[in-house]
Amino acid sequence: MSDAIAVHLAPPSPSVPVVTERRWVRRLTIAVALAFLFLFVILPLAVVFVEAFRRGWGGYLAALQEADAQAAIRLTLTVAAISVPANVIFGLAASWAIAKFEFKGKSLLITLIDLPFSVSPVVSGLIYLLLFGAQGLWGSWLMAHGVKVAFALPGIVLATIFVTFPFVARQLIPLMQEQGTAEEEAALTLGASGWRTFLTVTLPNIRWGLLYGVLLCNARAMGEFGAVSVVSGHIRGLTNTIPLHVEILYNEYNFVAAFAVASLLACLALLTLALKSVLEWRHGADLAGGAHR
Amino acid sequence: MGIRVAGVTKAFAGAAALHDIDLAVRPGELLALLGPSGSGKTTLLRIIAGLVEADRGQVFFGGLDATTLPVQKRQVGFVFQHYALFKHMSVADNIAYGLRVRTRASRPSRAEIRRRTSELLDLVQLSGYESRFPSQLSGGQRQRVALARALAVEPRVLLLDEPFGALDAKVRKDLRAWLRDIHERTGKTTVFVTHDQDEALELADRVAVLNQGRLEQVGSPDDVQDHPATPFVMTFLGQAARFPADIRDGRVLVRGKPVPVAASRSQGSPFQLYCRPWHLKPTAPGQGHQTGTISGVRRLGSMRRIEVLRADGAKLEVEVPLATSLRQGEEIGLEIVDGVLFPES
Ligand SMILES: Nc1ncnc2c1ncn2[C@@H]1O[C@H](COP(=O)(O)OP(=O)(O)O)[C@@H](O)[C@H]1O
Ligand SMILES: [Mg+2]
């Protein structure tokens, strides 16, 4: 008995951390990582804001209030307002089907969902031009019926939907697969309709994952450059989204305006990052199974 | 309300899971669906509930043909193997769910729902837990919430899939007695699935034994134990030794010596005689139908089990009174005093 206590009272032998010898290695790798982060992320981000405010608040606000800039902001918001809900619906439908049912062509569907990640956005833009452009496959038919897709809002929306559709689906598929169908079946045996089951059981179980997917989808929808650049036709004040407008301003050596408008996208990125971190921190378990990007 | 399953057949991707099942569950009865894992118990239960569609056959609740009725309209209380509680809802909301999703015309008032919920919480001994979430409950408590949730909709019948499967032994024992008690109080026709023969025999009014998608026997616990219909039922329900046997002149013979078992026919071979540990009696070495050496003596409740090693390496279990003088290493003879005879398959 007293022996046991004596052991506990004895000063703890100095613990030898396993990694002692390599402490300098650890420090070096951390330093390298931080240096890279500073050089390639923080510094450029700071430059955006420094350049944007080169002529003070007045110059910054003037650049944002200019008519073409306003048009670009409106267009970007419009495009996001259409393509994000569209992809929420698509993502929900696709992940629901993939996670809860067995059907032929399931693995093909999963592969197709990843397609936008592996195809260059410029190529996807070109495909839309080939389909809907004046010389395109359906171009003359559309022209005859007075529908303008390429070089107009519909084309931009379609291209944006294409490049952003994996985000919600990819987030939800593993989540729904992990949750299985037991809760839904329980709701059905209790008399709930399919729709009611979806609203009261499925949706609450995936809400945080869905929000996470929406966040990423939105950030990409507003920031997409390549695909939109091909189908937009760069018509000032009409078919320029924020990223396209930034490029135009920059090419015209209008640096302050270019960085001022670009700072909006930078703010969006920071906001997305912050919300994403909050989600991961507060609801990490509910996002589990999801591929964190 | 009784349940009747007629000619139900089901295959998954070509692999047969159920062959032509006929089963009648009597009104108010507690029936156990017993069988090894993969024998089709869950599939049959889910077909009754309407969660799985049978390839052929019909399901009746009382006089009602429910075969084409969707799951929502069948009004069954289903308790899932892993509870399937709604994670994001409190205990009270889980229990009230089935009442809240009703159409306005048949939905009880808020006060009525609250009253029913607390009544059910009482029944499952979980009063005071209404605002807890499923993640804050133990396995046994979750199972009780699942049962309360199923009972809340006043189901025609109660279906439970391995209700105690995921619980530890002590909780299992307690819940068995408790389920029996609830069944007596509610009087609901209940079918529960289990792979545990003790559970089935202890709890059920009748036991339906399923093997590889076929119903082997339906009967009272005494029936299936004392008069097993097939060798499978005999061996699945407990330890059984098997001896080759013949019938000569209306008498059953093992190794040429008669045994006191009624012969089903007057002549024939080959047969197999299945014997439980209490169907064998120790005698003097060289006597009886078998000989061997005692390789172990264990206590089993109020009896003792001795393990007898035969010369060919086979081991036989024999039940003897507690106060036996038999010791390990002794050579003994074994007399067959009872058994169940099956034609060799
Ligand atoms: N959804 C399913 N898809 C394919 N095979 C299934 C499915 N459900 C059950 N099975 C198969 O049917 C057989 C019976 O399964 P089940 O009813 O779950 O058995 P038990 O509940 O007795 O363990 C098993 O061979 C199982 O693999
Ligand atoms: Mg099962």
Side-chain angles (χ1 to χ4, degrees):
Chain A
M1 184 73 198
S2 60
D3 277 2
I5 289 171
V7 169
H8 282 292
L9 290 179
S13 56
S15 62
V16 184
V18 187
V19 290
T20 304
E21 287 177 352
R22 308 234 174 89
R23 186 172 286 168
W24 65 271
V25 176
R26 195 174 44 177
R27 288 208 177 136
L28 185 70
T29 48
I30 292 174
V32 169
L34 284 179
F36 257 77
L37 214 62
F38 180 77
L39 211 63
F40 290 98
V41 179
I42 298 173
L43 200 61
L45 205 59
V47 166
V48 169
F49 287 100
V50 168
E51 290 296 326
F53 286 101
R54 184 141 295 218
R55 292 203 204 114
W57 260 107
Y60 181 75
L61 288 179
L64 292 187
Q65 277 161 357
E66 186 255 338
D68 288 347
Q70 288 279 309
I73 293 169
R74 261 199 310 277
L75 181 64
T76 292
L77 291 177
T78 310
V79 169
I82 300 171
S83 50
V84 172
N87 276 332
V88 166
I89 292 170
F90 168 80
L92 279 172
S95 49
W96 173 273
I98 286 168
K100 317 254 167 176
F101 301 107
E102 290 302 322
F103 55 92
K104 277 200 184 121
K106 186 158 147 174
S107 51
L108 182 69
L109 180 59
I110 296 176
T111 313
L112 282 180
I113 286 173
D114 275 346
L115 189 67
F117 280 156
S118 46
V119 171
S120 160
V122 177
V123 174
S124 22
L126 273 175
I127 292 169
Y128 278 90
L129 263 196
L130 287 177
L131 290 178
F132 299 111
Q135 275 81 49
L137 203 54
W138 303 324
S140 43
W141 186 87
L142 289 168
M143 198 96 85
H145 290 77
V147 183
K148 209 159 154 35
V149 174
F151 310 134
L153 180 67
I156 299 173
V157 169
L158 284 175
T160 306
I161 288 178
F162 179 80
V163 291
T164 58
F165 80 56
F167 288 99
V168 174
R170 278 287 292 266
Q171 187 64 36
L172 293 186
I173 290 168
L175 197 59
M176 283 198 180
Q177 273 173 337
E178 187 196 285
Q179 290 178 345
T181 51
E183 284 185 49
E184 278 85 0
E185 287 180 339
L188 293 178
T189 62
L190 292 168
S193 64
W195 180 239
R196 179 94 188 207
T197 301
F198 176 75
L199 287 183
T200 56
V201 175
T202 310
L203 211 51
N205 273 340
I206 56 164
R207 60 196 160 179
W208 298 118
L210 181 62
L211 190 58
Y212 194 94
V214 165
L215 217 56
L216 298 183
C217 180
N218 181 62
R220 182 67 192 267
M222 291 191 170
E224 174 55 24
F225 180 83
V228 169
S229 169
V230 177
V231 292
S232 106
H234 304 268
I235 307 167
R236 256 187 120 122
L238 217 54
T239 65
N240 269 343
T241 59
I242 294 179
L244 301 187
H245 191 61
V246 170
E247 195 210 13
I248 289 180
L249 291 173
Y250 190 85
N251 287 344
E252 291 169 350
Y253 304 104
N254 194 348
F255 294 134
V256 171
F259 280 108
V261 178
S263 75
L264 292 179
L265 290 176
C267 285
L268 172 73
L270 290 174
L271 185 71
T272 304
L273 200 65
L275 288 174
K276 194 166 155 287
S277 307
V278 170
L279 272 181
E280 278 164 4
W281 169 54
R282 292 296 300 269
H283 303 285
D286 295 329
L287 302 173
H292 290 212
R293 268 183 300 272
Chain B
M1 189 175 293
I3 306 170
R4 197 158 65 82
V5 171
V8 161
T9 296
K10 176 76 190 174
F12 289 107
L18 292 174
H19 299 268
D20 198 21
I21 302 286
D22 288 306
L23 175 66
V25 188
R26 297 172 188 151
E29 178 175 55
L30 180 56
L31 181 125
L33 214 49
L34 175 67
S37 169
S39 57
K41 309 178 296 285
T42 298
T43 305
L44 181 55
L45 202 70
R46 289 166 65 86
I47 286 174
I48 295 173
L51 288 167
V52 170
E53 211 179 323
D55 297 338
R56 255 183 303 123
Q58 288 164 290
V59 176
F60 297 90
F61 294 132
L64 173 77
D65 183 353
T67 311
T68 55
L69 225 53
V71 47
Q72 290 101 329
K73 299 240 166 74
R74 291 207 186 182
Q75 290 175 30
V76 298
F78 200 104
V79 175
F80 292 81
Q81 189 168 1
H82 299 287
Y83 326 123
L85 293 179
F86 305 129
K87 290 190 275 297
H88 61 284
M89 290 183 208
S90 68
V91 166
D93 288 341
N94 263 281
I95 295 175
Y97 186 86
L99 298 173
R100 294 211 177 111
V101 297
R102 287 192 183 169
T103 56
R104 189 157 304 184
S106 57
R107 193 189 312 149
S109 69
R110 264 163 200 260
E112 171 66 11
I113 290 179
R114 207 170 314 122
R115 196 188 60 74
R116 289 261 282 277
T117 305
S118 78
E119 211 176 83
L120 282 159
L121 277 165
D122 252 0
L123 181 73
V124 299
Q125 297 157 7
L126 281 174
S127 301
Y129 286 79
E130 35 275 271
S131 48
R132 295 259 195 122
F133 282 84
S135 60
Q136 301 167 316
L137 300 177
S138 73
Q141 290 169 334
R142 286 180 209 179
Q143 190 59 278
R144 273 140 62 189
V145 174
L147 185 63
R149 181 178 69 177
L151 285 171
V153 295
E154 294 183 340
R156 294 187 166 115
V157 299
L158 202 53
L159 308 172
L160 303 100
D161 192 359
E162 308 250 1
F164 315 121
L167 303 170
D168 55 63
K170 170 81 178 78
V171 182
R172 257 167 112 125
K173 279 253 180 230
D174 293 348
L175 276 182
R176 272 188 215 176
W178 172 83
L179 179 68
R180 183 77 238 183
D181 183 48
I182 293 236
H183 176 255
E184 257 143 43
R185 274 202 263 171
T186 60
K188 287 253 183 269
T189 309
T190 304
V191 179
F192 78 98
V193 160
T194 180
H195 63 264
D196 179 338
Q197 50 278 30
D198 292 337
E199 201 165 275
L201 296 171
E202 181 188 322
L203 207 52
D205 297 322
R206 286 195 308 153
V207 179
V209 185
L210 211 56
N211 178 34
Q212 298 188 340
R214 290 175 203 277
L215 211 46
E216 300 258 336
Q217 188 175 8
V218 186
S220 69
D222 281 345
D223 257 357
V224 292
Q225 272 174 296
D226 296 340
H227 309 289
T230 64
F232 174 82
V233 176
M234 181 79 195
T235 48
F236 188 66
L237 288 185
Q239 199 124 40
R242 200 176 58 173
F243 307 107
D246 307 295
I247 302 183
R248 299 259 160 73
D249 310 323
R251 288 199 306 172
V252 180
L253 308 175
V254 172
R255 291 200 171 163
K257 292 185 187 171
V259 289
V261 172
S264 47
R265 293 181 238 165
S266 61
Q267 296 288 341
S269 70
F271 285 86
Q272 296 282 346
L273 184 67
Y274 287 77
C275 295
R276 298 261 184 243
W278 49 90
H279 292 158
L280 302 174
K281 214 176 87 184
T283 64
Q287 306 239 306
H289 305 90
Q290 302 281 317
T291 42
T293 344
I294 298 176
S295 56
V297 182
R298 284 178 294 132
R299 176 168 181 158
L300 211 80
S302 61
M303 304 294 280
R304 236 177 252 291
R305 279 280 171 95
I306 59 172
E307 195 181 64
V308 177
L309 186 65
R310 236 167 35 184
D312 64 357
K315 279 180 178 168
L316 304 172
E317 297 234 344
V318 183
E319 199 160 277
V320 297
L322 207 50
T324 178
S325 58
L326 296 169
R327 292 284 169 269
Q328 188 163 344
E330 249 180 82
E331 198 178 324
I332 59 163
L334 290 175
E335 191 187 334
I336 297 172
V337 295
D338 201 354
V340 185
L341 195 67
F342 292 107
E344 189 150 17
S345 48

